[in-house]
Amino acid sequence: MVHIAQTTNFYEQDYYVPSDNGFLIFHTPFGNLGIVVCFDRHYPESIRTEKLKGADLILIPTANTKAEHLTMFEWEIRVQAIQNCIPIVMCNRTGTEGQMAFAGESMAVDSDGNLMVKADDREQLIYVGIDTCNNCGKSDSRPYVSLRRPELYS
């Protein structure tokens, strides 16, 4: 993780050290995989950086609880997919630990932000076919990445 949470029930700065390597891309036979860990997904720069580094798909392992704003998390993922023209898969924890009940609701969205599949709160395997090449042509109709002006962002 690059950004480390420090909120109620998530005192992660007490035991995690932030990455000094930034965001990495993993080259697989299925395309370039970008991994954005849990809390990092709340920062638009995380997914955008992975896209700029050549990711074809973003995977987000996370631990959302039922007490959190789950609808907002879904829309956050869907908007990021649209803005970056990239499919995103979020895999969330289930079950309980102490007072925390984890939400499940793992999901996959395509590069148009369409919800392809969404799990419920039970432990389960879900399958979805993702065309990692389908997002390649999206940049022409939604050139959000190519028309950026980073020289004005600081």
Side-chain angles (χ1 to χ4, degrees):
M1 286 185 284
V2 174
H3 308 93
I4 309 295
Q6 191 73 6
T7 63
T8 304
N9 291 325
F10 292 97
Y11 306 102
E12 296 177 354
Q13 292 180 11
D14 294 350
Y15 46 90
Y16 286 128
V17 176
S19 168
D20 288 335
N21 296 327
F23 298 98
L24 304 174
I25 299 294
F26 297 89
H27 306 286
T28 76
F30 309 104
N32 297 327
L33 178 63
I35 298 180
V36 173
V37 179
C38 200
F39 189 68
D40 283 336
R41 76 182 184 280
H42 298 301
Y43 294 85
E45 300 88 349
S46 301
I47 292 171
R48 176 61 51 90
T49 299
E50 294 281 22
K51 171 68 176 188
L52 292 172
K53 287 186 170 192
D56 300 309
L57 171 68
I58 303 291
L59 176 62
I60 304 172
T62 190
N64 300 329
T65 66
K66 291 182 178 186
E68 295 179 88
H69 197 310
L70 300 174
T71 303
M72 186 269 299
F73 293 161
E74 177 182 329
W75 281 103
E76 186 176 55
I77 298 306
R78 294 176 78 173
V79 168
Q80 289 274 16
I82 292 168
Q83 291 176 337
N84 292 289
C85 303
I86 192 164
I88 300 175
V89 175
M90 185 173 76
C91 304
N92 190 37
R93 184 176 173 181
T94 62
T96 59
E97 181 180 322
Q99 299 297 318
M100 292 189 295
F102 294 95
E105 298 191 14
S106 295
M107 68 184 79
V109 299
D110 66 16
S111 58
D112 290 320
N114 298 311
L115 187 62
M116 299 171 70
V117 65
K118 185 175 181 180
D120 57 27
D121 65 348
R122 296 173 295 132
E123 183 176 329
Q124 60 196 283
L125 291 175
I126 55 175
Y127 296 90
V128 62
I130 297 175
D131 182 358
T132 58
C133 293
N134 188 35
N135 56 330
C136 299
K138 301 291 182 184
S139 297
D140 294 336
S141 62
R142 290 189 317 242
Y144 307 132
V145 175
S146 65
L147 295 179
R148 293 171 57 250
R149 297 188 58 201
E151 70 276 9
L152 301 176
Y153 301 158
S154 55

